[in-house]
């Protein structure tokens, strides 16, 4: 049984940030977009991108192998 990539991404993202109630996850095509509280983007990405890469690996492993899933940070635009 394969899990829903958005539910798994939400669970993993809430596990790594300080304010899990502010995590929002949406799906845009094959990409799962994650929005975290302002100032917590670095915690979600991790040093040299290790945390987000680990989340991507877990989500891809748990999803349907025929579906190419990517996880990305949905950061608000500045300016």
């Amino acid at each position: 049984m394969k899990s829903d990539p958005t539910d798994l991404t939400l669970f993993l993202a809430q596990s790594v940030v300080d304010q899990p109630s502010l995590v929002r996850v949406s799906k845009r095509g094959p990409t799962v977009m994650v929005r975290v509280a302002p100032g917590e983007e670095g915690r979600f990405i991790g040093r040299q991108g290790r945390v987000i890469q680990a989340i991507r690996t877990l989500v891809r492993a748990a999803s349907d192998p025929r579906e190419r899933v990517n996880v990305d940070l949905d950061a608000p635009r500045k300016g």
Side-chain angles (χ1 to χ4, degrees):
M1 180 175 137
K2 297 295 179 179
S3 66
D4 183 30
T6 55
D7 292 340
L8 179 59
T9 305
L10 178 64
F11 173 76
L12 294 170
Q14 288 176 334
S15 299
V16 298
V17 297
D18 288 332
Q19 298 176 12
S21 62
L22 297 179
V23 174
R24 301 288 178 253
V25 175
S26 61
K27 189 159 185 191
R28 295 183 196 155
T31 304
V32 178
M33 302 299 289
V34 180
R35 183 169 286 210
V36 296
E40 289 202 312
E41 293 90 358
R43 183 176 291 278
F44 178 71
I45 294 171
R47 288 188 178 184
Q48 297 181 351
R50 288 186 178 135
V51 173
I52 194 168
Q53 190 58 45
I55 291 173
R56 285 177 180 142
T57 301
L58 288 170
V59 170
R60 286 177 186 153
S63 64
D64 187 2
R66 294 169 291 177
E67 181 182 5
R68 180 70 175 164
V69 178
N70 192 24
V71 177
D72 204 1
L73 180 65
D74 187 13
R77 306 233 186 256
K78 294 188 179 184

